[in-house]
Amino acid sequence: MALHLNLLHEQIFEQRQRQRDPLKIGILLLAGCGALLFLYYGWNAYRTLQTKVRQSAIERDWTKIEPAVTAAQKRAAELTSMINTLRVLDNYIDNRFLWAPFLEKISRCVAPNAQLTAIEGTVQEDNKGVTANIEGVAAAREPRSAAEDFRQMLLEQLGQDYRDVKVEFKALEEVESTTKIDGTAMPMAHYIIAVTFTLNSVPKPGAPSAPIKAKK
Amino acid sequence: MNLPSLNQDQIKKVMLSGFGFVFLLYVYFTFFLGPLNKSRRTAQAAIADVQHKIETSKGETAKTAILERQAKDLTGHFAALKALNPEGAPIAWFPPRIKGFFADQRIDKVMARLEGTTSFKEADLSGWTKYDWLIDLPQTDYASLGEAIAALENREPLLCIRKLNIHLTAQEPQFQQVTIAATTAIEKR
C-alpha cells in the first residue's frame, strides 16, 4: 500500500474548527429564535391593534347612545317612583272609611219616637275598624223596647256592609220626664249605644264620584 | 451519541451563547410581549364592559318604553291627584277652601284649623305629608251634614275623616254642632 500524506491536514482542521465554532452557532441560533420571537410579537401586535380599533368603535357607539340611555334610566326611575307612590296613594284613598254611608244607615234606623242627641265616631289608626257611641232618647209605652228596636235595626243595617259588627248598650235608663206623641204622654228612656265594626268592602259614597282631572 | 469534545475556549463560548439566549427571552417577555398582552387584555376587558353596558341599555330602553306605555294613564291620574292641592302653604289655602265648600252646601260659619303634621310611614310617600285638621261646623242639620260629607269624601279623595262628633246644640235642638277631625295627604313642595 502506498504511503499517503495529507499535507493540508492543518488547514482542513482549522476550517472544520471554524465551522464548528460554538459562538457562531449560538449567534445563528439566537438570530433564528429572535426572528421567530419577532414574528410572534408582530402577530400579537396585530391582534392588539385590532382589539384597540374594536374598542374605539364600541366606545364611539356607546358615546352616541349613552345620553339616551341615561335619560331612559332616569325616566324609568321617575316612572317607577310615581307608580309606587300612586299605588300607596290609591290604597290610602280606597282604605278610607266613608262616613256618609254610615250616617245614612243610622238615619234609616231612627224611628219617629226616637231621637239621637250625640254621635261620636272614631276610625282606628290602621283604618281597620270604627268605634262609635250613639246617644239618644226613645219614647214609647215601653221606652226600653223602643231603644232595643233601634239597636236591633242598627245591628241589621250595619251588618250588611261591615264585618264583626257589635252594637251594645252602654247605658239604658228610663228618665222621669215624658214627651207627647200624637197627643199622648209617653215615658222616655235615655240610652248610649256602643258600636264597633271592622271594614269589609268599602261602600261607595252617597253621590257618584266625579272623575279626577288635572287642573289646567 | 458521540459529542465532539470541546476545549476551554469553546465551553466559554457555549456558556456565553446560553446567557445571551436567556437574556433575550427575559427582555422579550418582560419588555415587549408582556406589556403588549397586558394592553390587549385591558382593551378586551373594556370592550366586554362597554358591550355589557350596551346590552343592558337595550333592555333598559325597552323596559322604559314598556313602562311609559303602562304609566300613560297613571301619569294623568297622578297629575290629577297632585293638582288637587294648589301651590303654597296648606294652612293658607285649606281652611278657606273648606269654608267655601261647606258654604256651597249651605253650612255657614265653618272653621278649619291645623292640628299638626306628620310624615307617612310608607317610604314611597316620603314626598308627601299628612296634615291633621279640625273642622268645626257650629250649626247644621243632619241631612245637610250627610250630603256635605258625601260630597266632601267624593271631591277630596286625599281627605280622610278620622273622627266625627255630632252633638245637639243646646239652644236649637233641631240643629247639630259638628266637629270633624280629618287628615289630608299633601305633596311636599
Side-chain angles (χ1 to χ4, degrees):
Chain A
M1 188 177 175
L3 185 64
H4 180 76
L5 290 175
N6 185 0
L7 299 175
L8 295 172
H9 173 263
E10 281 189 5
Q11 281 182 9
I12 291 166
F13 180 74
E14 276 178 15
Q15 190 188 354
R16 279 185 185 162
Q17 283 291 91
R18 273 200 305 277
Q19 280 175 343
R20 287 196 317 197
D21 183 11
L23 189 62
K24 189 181 165 188
I25 293 168
I27 287 168
L28 282 173
L29 273 174
L30 219 57
C33 284
L36 280 176
L37 292 176
F38 179 76
L39 283 175
Y40 185 63
Y41 181 82
W43 168 239
N44 273 301
Y46 173 71
R47 282 168 63 201
T48 306
L49 199 69
Q50 268 190 329
T51 309
K52 292 268 186 193
V53 169
R54 201 162 140 242
Q55 185 191 0
S56 303
I58 284 177
E59 278 177 352
R60 245 192 337 269
D61 288 348
W62 173 242
T63 314
K64 276 182 201 164
I65 61 168
E66 192 185 10
V69 173
T70 310
Q73 281 172 339
K74 198 179 162 192
R75 181 72 183 140
E78 272 175 17
L79 287 173
T80 308
S81 167
M82 185 208 75
I83 288 168
N84 290 340
T85 304
L86 198 57
R87 183 176 44 79
V88 182
L89 277 178
D90 279 344
N91 274 343
Y92 174 83
I93 293 166
D94 292 343
N95 292 333
R96 288 183 306 160
F97 173 69
L98 300 172
W99 287 89
F102 176 68
L103 294 178
E104 189 194 4
K105 282 188 184 301
I106 291 175
S107 72
R108 279 188 204 157
C109 303
V110 181
N113 62 342
Q115 187 189 12
L116 303 185
T117 53
I119 300 172
E120 291 180 2
T122 308
V123 181
Q124 285 167 16
E125 193 59 37
D126 51 2
N127 273 4
K128 291 271 170 63
V130 174
T131 57
N133 284 335
I134 299 171
E135 196 176 336
V137 286
R141 282 184 207 285
E142 292 292 333
R144 283 173 183 268
S145 63
E148 173 61 11
D149 287 346
F150 172 67
R151 191 192 71 83
Q152 293 277 356
M153 180 75 91
L154 200 57
L155 183 65
E156 187 192 315
Q157 284 287 322
L158 295 178
Q160 289 172 4
D161 282 327
Y162 309 113
R163 274 189 301 129
D164 307 327
V165 180
K166 283 183 187 171
V167 182
E168 293 164 344
F169 281 113
K170 272 174 81 179
L172 175 59
E173 55 201 18
E174 287 183 35
V175 291
E176 289 188 1
S177 55
T178 56
T179 189
K180 282 191 176 179
I181 296 175
D182 295 333
T184 314
M186 295 281 183
M188 291 203 300
H190 171 258
Y191 55 83
I192 300 172
I193 292 174
V195 178
T196 57
F197 54 86
T198 49
L199 302 180
N200 195 1
S201 56
V202 181
K204 295 291 171 206
S209 166
I212 304 159
K213 286 181 181 167
K215 285 182 184 171
K216 288 180 183 172
Chain B
M1 204 169 126
N2 197 11
L3 286 170
S5 60
L6 300 172
N7 59 29
Q8 198 72 24
D9 187 45
Q10 283 174 328
I11 288 168
K12 277 183 187 171
K13 284 176 181 175
V14 167
M15 284 179 70
L16 191 66
S17 298
F19 282 129
F21 189 66
V22 170
F23 181 72
L24 176 75
L25 288 180
Y26 173 76
V27 169
Y28 178 75
F29 283 109
T30 308
F31 297 104
F32 290 90
L33 200 61
L36 188 71
N37 283 340
K38 193 181 168 190
S39 163
R40 194 173 70 245
R41 277 197 297 272
T42 309
Q44 278 170 341
I47 287 170
D49 185 41
V50 176
Q51 266 179 337
H52 176 69
K53 275 198 230 172
I54 289 171
E55 289 299 320
T56 314
S57 72
K58 280 178 192 166
E60 288 274 344
T61 313
K63 199 177 106 184
T64 307
I66 292 167
L67 210 57
E68 194 85 56
R69 276 201 299 278
Q70 285 174 345
K72 200 176 173 184
D73 294 336
L74 298 179
T75 309
H77 180 43
F78 190 57
L81 282 179
K82 283 185 7 175
L84 285 170
N85 300 323
E87 295 279 347
I91 188 83
W93 56 259
F94 186 81
R97 185 154 100 175
I98 286 294
K99 194 175 178 180
F101 170 79
F102 280 107
D104 290 344
Q105 304 290 325
R106 298 181 306 282
I107 301 171
D108 294 322
K109 297 175 188 170
V110 174
M111 294 261 290
R113 59 178 189 275
L114 181 65
E115 286 287 289
T117 59
T118 45
S119 297
F120 278 94
K121 287 174 196 165
E122 295 89 347
D124 291 320
L125 287 182
S126 57
W128 293 68
T129 307
K130 272 185 193 173
Y131 284 77
D132 297 320
W133 305 93
L134 212 58
I135 304 166
D136 285 321
L137 286 64
Q139 188 173 303
T140 179
D141 66 282
Y142 192 85
S144 301
L145 173 73
E147 284 172 13
I149 287 179
L152 184 69
E153 286 173 334
N154 277 322
R155 213 174 88 170
E156 300 281 348
L158 296 174
L159 182 140
C160 177
I161 297 173
R162 318 287 316 170
K163 281 184 185 177
L164 181 68
N165 288 346
I166 307 171
H167 289 274
L168 286 183
T169 51
Q171 295 83 13
E172 295 172 284
Q174 72 272 29
F175 290 119
Q176 285 89 44
Q177 189 179 353
V178 181
T179 307
I180 299 169
T183 303
T184 51
I186 297 174
E187 194 188 15
K188 291 176 189 168
R189 300 191 193 203

